[in-house]
Amino acid sequence: MEIVTDPAHGGRWTSLRTGGREWLWRRDGVGRESVSPGDAFVDAGGLEECVPTVRGTPDHGDAWSRPWVREGDGRESVRCERFSLTRTIRYGAEVDYVLTADPGFRFVWAAHALLDLSQRATVHLPEGAATRLYPDNGPWVEGSWPAPRGSRLDRFGPDDGTAVGAVVDADRCCVHDGSHRLAFALQADGQPLSIALWRNLGGFPDTHPYRSTGVEPMLGRVFGLAEAGPGDAARVPRSGEVRWRLIVTQDCNCP
């Protein structure tokens, strides 16, 4: 497995390859090179490190618009106003994270991976898992995987002009696209874990919509930190650190 990142432009993962297959969807020529903190989000695809929120202020978090520092041995870090984040990418690929902030600091983190998937791709999560569906970017409604409120989410399918998001109570998932497999697993002690999905089949944005399909391991259970209730966001303990691990493999132990 090969991971390529771009520390100078927000730490975005620009490539995730397994067995010659490129998994990340990307957009070129969108002006990502010139952003600074406080700018509106510029969607260049790839995998974004969204923290301390996905939706809300700042949109897609505070780390994507800042330069990261590459420290060697797979270690890269970014410092924001209220926290710092360090990741260490190891062979295989395991990615270890450390967020440092004042005790009590609440946040949501997502590995916001936009994947280059065919219309036949499917995503596998535990049957019956609690699911929050965000229809048309609106407030969530409660349901269960794979079809909360009748909206089946395990198949991406052809463009149909819709855009929905969902957050599923699970710590792992698997994507199937033909004979190819990609699995995500998340480990963290004492923090809420979930898998978010973004299924934009030509329904977003209102002007010049495009197709983008995301699978996003998360700390937290909501897209927006401002809407997080008790247990919906990660919280920094008295030690001042939160540690977690993201595991990306081709070995799918699908539920």
Side-chain angles (χ1 to χ4, degrees), residues 17 40 49 72 80 92 126 161 205 223:
R17 298 183 67 86
E49 304 279 3
C80 301
F223 282 116

Side-chain angles (χ1 to χ4, degrees), residues 132-249:
R132 291 174 170 179
L133 175 69
Y134 292 73
D136 300 321
N137 284 321
W140 78 67
V141 293
E142 301 281 354
S144 60
W145 180 263
R149 299 296 180 96
S151 180
R152 195 166 184 97
L153 298 175
D154 57 341
R155 301 183 181 96
F156 288 102
D159 292 358
D160 60 8
T162 64
V164 298
V167 179
V168 185
D169 281 358
D171 62 1
R172 63 190 62 238
C173 73
C174 185
V175 177
H176 293 191
D177 196 359
S179 62
H180 298 277
R181 303 287 186 268
L182 185 70
F184 294 100
L186 194 57
Q187 300 173 350
D189 292 333
Q191 303 293 346
L193 306 178
S194 64
I195 302 292
L197 302 174
W198 171 239
R199 193 180 69 182
N200 172 26
L201 305 180
F204 177 86
D206 292 335
T207 58
H208 308 296
Y210 52 86
R211 179 187 178 95
S212 58
T213 49
V215 178
E216 310 175 28
M218 292 181 66
L219 263 62
R221 300 180 59 242
V222 289
F223 282 116
L225 180 61
E227 62 186 354
D232 283 343
R235 183 184 294 271
V236 176
R238 293 177 62 183
S239 66
E241 289 186 349
V242 176
R243 295 177 177 268
W244 66 96
R245 173 173 290 178
L246 173 64
I247 302 170
V248 188
T249 71

Side-chain angles (χ1 to χ4, degrees), residues 1-250:
M1 181 170 295
E2 178 185 1
I3 295 172
V4 178
T5 64
D6 185 2
H9 303 107
R12 184 170 61 99
W13 300 24
T14 57
S15 180
L16 171 61
R17 298 183 67 86
T18 62
R21 160 76 187 254
E22 175 58 63
W23 283 97
L24 295 182
W25 171 86
R26 292 165 294 180
R27 299 175 73 206
D28 297 324
V30 292
R32 184 58 179 265
E33 295 78 9
S34 58
V35 300
S36 58
D39 287 353
F41 179 64
V42 177
D43 185 7
L47 185 152
E48 303 281 6
E49 304 279 3
C50 293
V51 59
T53 189
V54 182
R55 295 181 182 173
T57 304
D59 189 16
H60 285 71
D62 204 23
W64 72 268
S65 59
R66 298 174 184 269
W68 291 50
V69 176
R70 179 168 286 166
E71 302 173 5
D73 296 328
R75 180 183 171 99
E76 299 171 340
S77 63
V78 63
R79 181 174 296 277
C80 301
E81 290 184 4
R82 297 190 61 195
F83 66 92
S84 63
L85 179 66
T86 299
R87 69 184 177 206
T88 303
I89 300 175
R90 306 185 189 281
Y91 176 78
E94 294 181 349
V95 188
D96 289 330
Y97 291 87
V98 182
L99 182 139
T100 304
D102 291 338
F105 178 72
R106 300 175 79 228
F107 67 96
V108 172
W109 164 86
H112 179 73
L114 296 181
L115 303 181
D116 186 8
L117 300 175
S118 72
Q119 295 182 5
R120 67 182 182 275
T122 57
V123 61
H124 299 257
L125 287 150
E127 187 82 19
T131 301
R132 291 174 170 179
L133 175 69
Y134 292 73
D136 300 321
N137 284 321
W140 78 67
V141 293
E142 301 281 354
S144 60
W145 180 263
R149 299 296 180 96
S151 180
R152 195 166 184 97
L153 298 175
D154 57 341
R155 301 183 181 96
F156 288 102
D159 292 358
D160 60 8
T162 64
V164 298
V167 179
V168 185
D169 281 358
D171 62 1
R172 63 190 62 238
C173 73
C174 185
V175 177
H176 293 191
D177 196 359
S179 62
H180 298 277
R181 303 287 186 268
L182 185 70
F184 294 100
L186 194 57
Q187 300 173 350
D189 292 333
Q191 303 293 346
L193 306 178
S194 64
I195 302 292
L197 302 174
W198 171 239
R199 193 180 69 182
N200 172 26
L201 305 180
F204 177 86
D206 292 335
T207 58
H208 308 296
Y210 52 86
R211 179 187 178 95
S212 58
T213 49
V215 178
E216 310 175 28
M218 292 181 66
L219 263 62
R221 300 180 59 242
V222 289
F223 282 116
L225 180 61
E227 62 186 354
D232 283 343
R235 183 184 294 271
V236 176
R238 293 177 62 183
S239 66
E241 289 186 349
V242 176
R243 295 177 177 268
W244 66 96
R245 173 173 290 178
L246 173 64
I247 302 170
V248 188
T249 71
Q250 300 178 79

